[in-house]
Amino acid sequence: MKLLQNQTVIVTGASRGIGRGIALKLAEQGANVAFTYLSSEAKAKELEAEIAAKGVKAKAYHSDAADYKAAEQLVTDVLADFGKIDTLVNNAGITKDGLLMRMSEEQFDAVIKANLKSVFNLTKAIQRPMLKERKGSIINITSVVGIRGNAGQSNYAASKAGIIGFTKSIALELGSRNIRCNAVAPGFIETEMTGALDEKVVAQWRESIPLKRGGTADDVAGAVAFLASDWSTYITGQVIQVCGGMLT
Ligand code: NAP
């Protein structure tokens, strides 16, 4: 029996990067996977086929996590297609970096909306079906930047720190109903988001990490699979850092 056999998960923003790695890992562990994308339709369709080839159910949904009504619609659609939802992974996120001196209001608002408001939107929408089941695991992807801050990323750091406060509050609110809420804080994970960085900067990052390498989407996915599974039934309100020891 696989770790997540017969479970249904929703992963937001899984067309690329960490979300894609999470969707694949959870499918390998036997979960049926509903996932969203915003603009990468071809990649989403490819992933849908790749997951289905593992013998589980897979469906890609075009859905903007920053849109409250779209989140409600997504949960309605996934329930109609899959029958139940055991785990929600709030992964969708963006960066719009810049020093405060140059950061526009638009840059700030866009990041808060895509990274933090999205977590509220999806968690709010999933609350009712999870309460009905008296069981659920909500996993929010934050960042080490949300714990320690980062020059040039005040908008991103604020959104990720906000996710941590939100996670702990929901763990307190829903614990008595057997709904767990945890956060995973990746460090430097090599995806398209970090691929935009200069190679020299990347080399410096790798050197500064105790495990001497950038992380992979699969590294993050392992922690997510654990939190989705019954191996973590007594863990809620926690932030698990997946950062190669970057932040101790
Ligand atoms: P990425 O490679 O840029 O991929 C982002 C994913 O999110 C894409 O699938 C994108 O979909 C989706 N997305 C963006 N905005 C969306 C929205 N409004 N609605 C639905 N989907 C949306 O990023 P990543 O590196 O995998 O990061 C994934 C998560 O991990 C983010 O929350 C990020 O903040 C966090 N994180 C990353 C790192 C890192 O080092 N990479 C470190 C710490 C935390 P489309 O392509 O379809 O638009």
Side-chain angles (χ1 to χ4, degrees), residues 15-16 18 38-40 64-65 91 142 156 160 187 189 191 193:
S15 43
R16 295 182 283 120
I18 293 173
L38 187 61
S39 55
S40 310
D64 182 353
N91 165 80
T142 175
Y156 183 77
K160 295 298 183 182
I189 309 299
T191 66
M193 189 178 266

Side-chain angles (χ1 to χ4, degrees), residues 27-178:
E28 275 158 23
Q29 292 303 321
N32 297 313
V33 181
F35 69 91
T36 69
Y37 65 96
L38 187 61
S39 55
S40 310
E41 187 172 2
K43 286 183 178 173
K45 291 288 165 202
E46 267 171 41
L47 179 64
E48 194 180 73
E50 206 175 324
I51 295 175
K54 295 183 187 297
V56 294
K57 188 168 171 173
K59 189 162 178 184
Y61 298 81
H62 176 256
S63 182
D64 182 353
D67 181 330
Y68 184 81
K69 285 216 167 345
E72 276 186 336
Q73 188 59 49
L74 173 71
V75 170
T76 303
D77 292 346
V78 173
L79 280 173
D81 295 339
F82 288 76
K84 62 165 186 154
I85 303 162
D86 301 283
T87 292
L88 164 67
V89 185
N90 282 309
N91 165 80
I94 58 168
T95 51
K96 285 189 186 290
D97 298 349
L99 294 171
L100 183 61
M101 192 81 79
R102 281 193 286 271
M103 186 174 292
S104 66
E105 184 184 4
E106 185 279 330
Q107 272 175 300
F108 189 85
D109 288 348
V111 168
I112 296 293
K113 216 173 158 197
N115 295 6
L116 179 58
K117 171 103 186 316
S118 60
V119 175
F120 165 75
N121 292 343
L122 269 301
T123 307
K124 175 96 176 149
I126 209 109
Q127 183 183 2
R128 208 181 292 273
M130 282 190 174
L131 283 171
K132 225 171 122 193
E133 292 287 326
R134 291 189 80 84
K135 188 177 190 288
S137 176
I138 299 164
I139 303 158
N140 299 323
I141 308 300
T142 175
S143 167
V144 292
V145 166
I147 299 169
R148 65 152 199 212
N150 199 22
Q153 289 198 306
S154 57
N155 51 356
Y156 183 77
S159 73
K160 295 298 183 182
I163 288 176
I164 294 173
F166 184 83
T167 299
K168 290 176 186 252
S169 304
I170 298 307
L172 294 173
E173 284 188 28
L174 300 181
S176 64
R177 310 298 185 90
N178 196 30

Side-chain angles (χ1 to χ4, degrees), residues 229-247:
S229 79
D230 283 348
W231 284 8
S232 59
T233 42
Y234 203 49
I235 299 178
T236 195
Q238 305 303 309
V239 182
I240 297 186
Q241 290 170 210
V242 181
C243 63
M246 183 197 279
L247 215 64

